[in-house]
Amino acid sequence: MAQPENEAFVFSPKLSQLSALATRYAKPEHSVTHGGHVRTIAAGHYTVTGLSRHVRLGEFVAHRSATGVHLGEVVRVEPDIAYICPIEPGEPIGIHDVVIRKGAFRIAPDDSWCGRTINALGDPIDNGPGMTPGHERRPISTTAPPSMTRRRVDQGFRTGVRAVDIFSPLCLGQRLGIFAGSGVGKSTLLSMLARADAFDKVVIALVGERGREVREFIEDTLGDNMAKSIAVVATSDESPMLRKMAPLTAMTIAEHFRDKGENVLFIADSITRFAHAIREVATAAGEPPIARGYPASVFTELPRLLERAGPGAEGAGTITAIISILVDGDNHNDPIADSVRGILDGHIVLDRSLADEGRYPPINPLTSISRLARKAWTGEQEKLVSRLKALIHRFEETRDLRLIGGYRNGSDPDLDMAIKQVPVIYEILKQSPGDKASNDAYADLAGALKAAASGAQGGARQRG
Ligand SMILES: Nc1ncnc2c1ncn2[C@@H]1O[C@H](COP(=O)(O)OP(=O)(O)OP(=O)(O)O)[C@@H](O)[C@H]1O
Ligand SMILES: [Mg+2]
């Protein structure tokens, strides 16, 4: 029989197992444990009576079933009923099962977590020993530091990827998105950027990836950097709740290191799959869709997560966030891409046509923008890049004309220059994960242009 709301569940000794779990999450002031009972069960969620007055949206509950204790998140609260999304798929839930409140989900990151791979709940998945908890337990769902207390972002750093360092240079504490359709090269570029040596720590959230790619990313990509990295993984077959929590857990770990004064790189691959997970959870909770099937909560959760990246207060370090965004059917204006672009301090656009030509990383230098590039460039570099972009633009807009033989060399000095230099620029921008990181992208470019010019002069002298 359903428990009336005002007869809150009375805590009994047989629930000692649940209680022990609950103390891991609840604050000391929550010494009174509130409980309720399962009332209805549906695909993706169940409802509980007796908890509505005691729980808040986003809090966790523990549910005891025949197979043990399972966690769930409160996704909707009505006067007599709380809607819960279970964390684990396929958890056996029975009518009238006992459910107790656990409060906000917290993790206690520790320096010893470096080099480890964990799941969204903070438990190890790398066959290593249990995780040692740190001193501070932090809620994974929290707000960003107040904007006026944060340091300004003005210190550039080198990524080692020439196409980024020349055309869209980045600053510590910047938030950058890599936008592309499927299979164009997002994960590969992220893995190359993860090796930048400007960071003390790298925290990676792999959300909705294929299981095969996870080991590849962690072992091949991080390599020597693994000692200063922590990976939080929720693969595509895990529940939407775990996929939704993985970036939050990763960001909480990044905040731990930032607050110690370190410069942290936060990587999320992909943020679109995080948005899909929020959509799945919200749909199960009955939230109506507002844009292409996405409910409003997606558009509040995305900035909530991304705003947490950035510089910390004076004395704290920075979180530089680089995230990938899968654009639906190569449509760069889908609601998630649009919403995320507005939150970020820059976006790198990968073009399928460049990938088809084998020009990896397929970064389009004309449509990619770093809004903080001016702080990273010298005045001279800024002028040079604007000149390079003009040449590339001229080269691309006359491509068809030149292909049909509609241009005669010598008629336009700017175009002649573009025809000579742009293929050299394209060549120097090519880089694979196996190639050495560039120590000075401008020097590499200058060297290539000089070599091409002297080669051309030599050829002209020989012909003469
Ligand atoms: N810099 C590069 N050098 C050489 N090959 C590359 C490079 N980047 C990507 N590729 C090729 O493109 C393929 C797809 O790349 P990747 O897995 O990074 O794409 P993705 O955009 O992350 O795909 P998905 O949308 O499926 O996650 C790789 O398997 C590789 O063959
Ligand atoms: Mg990928």
Side-chain angles (χ1 to χ4, degrees):
M1 202 179 76
Q3 196 87 9
E5 177 64 50
N6 54 3
E7 285 175 37
F9 178 82
V10 182
F11 188 54
S12 77
K14 80 175 182 188
L15 291 174
S16 56
Q17 195 189 356
L18 283 180
S19 158
L21 241 174
T23 52
R24 191 173 146 197
Y25 302 88
K27 287 188 197 162
E29 64 264 28
H30 298 148
S31 47
V32 177
T33 307
H34 297 287
H37 289 98
V38 173
R39 184 173 160 187
T40 62
I41 305 161
H45 77 277
Y46 60 91
T47 63
V48 175
T49 53
L51 268 183
S52 300
R53 285 211 203 145
H54 311 290
V55 289
R56 301 278 172 276
L57 215 53
E59 282 187 344
F60 273 64
V61 295
H63 159 243
R64 186 193 171 101
S65 79
T67 55
V69 178
H70 305 275
L71 293 173
E73 188 187 311
V74 179
V75 291
R76 178 170 165 184
V77 185
E78 288 181 359
D80 300 319
I81 288 180
Y83 287 67
I84 314 293
C85 258
I87 300 286
E88 299 150 75
E91 164 191 339
I93 305 164
I95 296 289
H96 220 63
D97 278 356
V98 171
V99 177
I100 66 165
R101 172 181 183 246
K102 294 176 54 170
F105 185 78
R106 288 158 193 265
I107 56 165
D110 186 63
D111 296 2
S112 65
W113 291 20
C114 289
R116 304 295 307 272
T117 306
I118 58 176
N119 66 13
L121 299 171
D123 295 324
I125 54 168
D126 54 3
N127 297 324
M131 308 302 288
T132 311
H135 295 299
E136 196 186 344
R137 295 190 318 136
R138 297 163 171 264
I140 62 162
S141 183
T142 185
T143 47
S147 47
M148 292 308 283
T149 65
R150 301 182 97 167
R151 281 191 355 233
R152 294 183 57 151
V153 176
D154 51 15
Q155 189 187 341
F157 72 93
R158 205 177 45 229
T159 67
V161 178
R162 283 186 288 270
V164 175
D165 287 346
I166 295 174
F167 290 99
S168 321
L170 309 179
C171 288
L172 291 175
Q174 179 163 1
R175 291 158 308 172
L176 179 88
I178 297 174
F179 292 74
S182 63
V184 179
K186 298 179 295 296
S187 303
T188 311
L189 180 57
L190 277 177
S191 71
M192 291 164 78
L193 295 170
R195 297 187 200 147
D197 51 18
F199 299 101
D200 303 307
K201 297 286 181 305
V202 182
V203 186
I204 300 159
L206 295 176
V207 189
E209 289 292 292
R210 305 160 194 92
R212 168 188 65 79
E213 284 180 331
V214 170
R215 254 192 96 176
E216 231 170 74
F217 193 99
I218 292 171
E219 289 173 6
D220 300 353
T221 310
L222 292 175
D224 298 344
N225 271 354
M226 192 60 206
K228 62 172 187 178
S229 310
I230 299 164
V232 183
V233 177
T235 46
S236 54
D237 55 336
E238 294 194 71
S239 75
M241 279 302 307
L242 288 173
R243 281 181 273 134
K244 179 184 146 180
M245 287 167 73
L248 304 177
T249 298
M251 186 60 85
T252 310
I253 298 170
E255 286 167 341
H256 161 79
F257 291 111
R258 179 200 61 197
D259 292 348
K260 288 178 62 188
E262 298 189 359
N263 290 318
V264 186
L265 174 62
F266 168 90
I267 285 182
D269 191 13
S270 84
I271 220 68
T272 310
R273 300 209 168 102
F274 169 67
H276 288 174
I278 301 172
R279 176 171 66 183
E280 279 179 56
V281 172
T283 309
E287 204 186 317
I290 56 159
R292 288 246 203 114
Y294 289 102
S297 56
V298 171
F299 303 100
T300 49
E301 286 292 332
L302 286 170
R304 240 174 94 88
L305 171 71
L306 296 172
E307 267 302 312
R308 287 167 67 182
E314 288 304 330
T318 57
I319 300 176
T320 306
I322 307 185
I323 61 169
S324 70
I325 297 101
L326 171 75
V327 292
D328 220 357
D330 288 284
N331 169 14
H332 286 254
N333 294 321
D334 79 77
I336 296 300
D338 242 1
S339 152
V340 172
R341 219 183 344 257
I343 307 165
L344 297 171
D345 313 305
H347 53 271
I348 284 184
V349 180
L350 305 187
D351 270 1
R352 196 177 290 280
S353 59
L354 303 191
D356 291 344
E357 284 176 35
R359 275 173 50 197
Y360 284 112
I363 298 176
N364 184 332
L366 298 179
T367 49
S368 302
I369 294 170
S370 164
R371 296 190 194 179
L372 298 168
R374 281 220 175 90
K375 298 191 193 278
W377 279 322
T378 61
E380 222 171 67
Q381 287 169 346
E382 188 178 348
K383 271 191 215 139
L384 172 73
V385 169
S386 118
R387 170 92 187 119
L388 292 178
K389 281 189 173 177
L391 283 180
I392 293 173
H393 179 70
R394 196 90 183 94
F395 184 78
E396 291 301 337
E397 72 173 0
T398 56
R399 191 182 270 267
D400 292 345
L401 178 76
R402 288 182 286 110
L403 275 176
I404 56 164
Y407 176 71
R408 240 192 25 244
N409 273 351
S411 337
D412 175 346
D414 278 349
L415 183 52
D416 290 340
M417 175 76 87
I419 293 168
K420 249 191 255 158
Q421 295 196 340
V422 172
V424 181
I425 300 169
Y426 284 170
E427 200 54 42
I428 196 72
L429 296 183
K430 282 188 190 168
Q431 225 171 331
S432 288
D435 295 345
K436 218 171 103 293
S438 159
N439 283 330
D440 187 341
Y442 291 99
D444 293 349
L445 176 65
L449 287 172
K450 208 165 150 194
S454 59
Q457 270 172 12
R461 263 200 302 275
Q462 269 177 13
R463 278 195 299 279

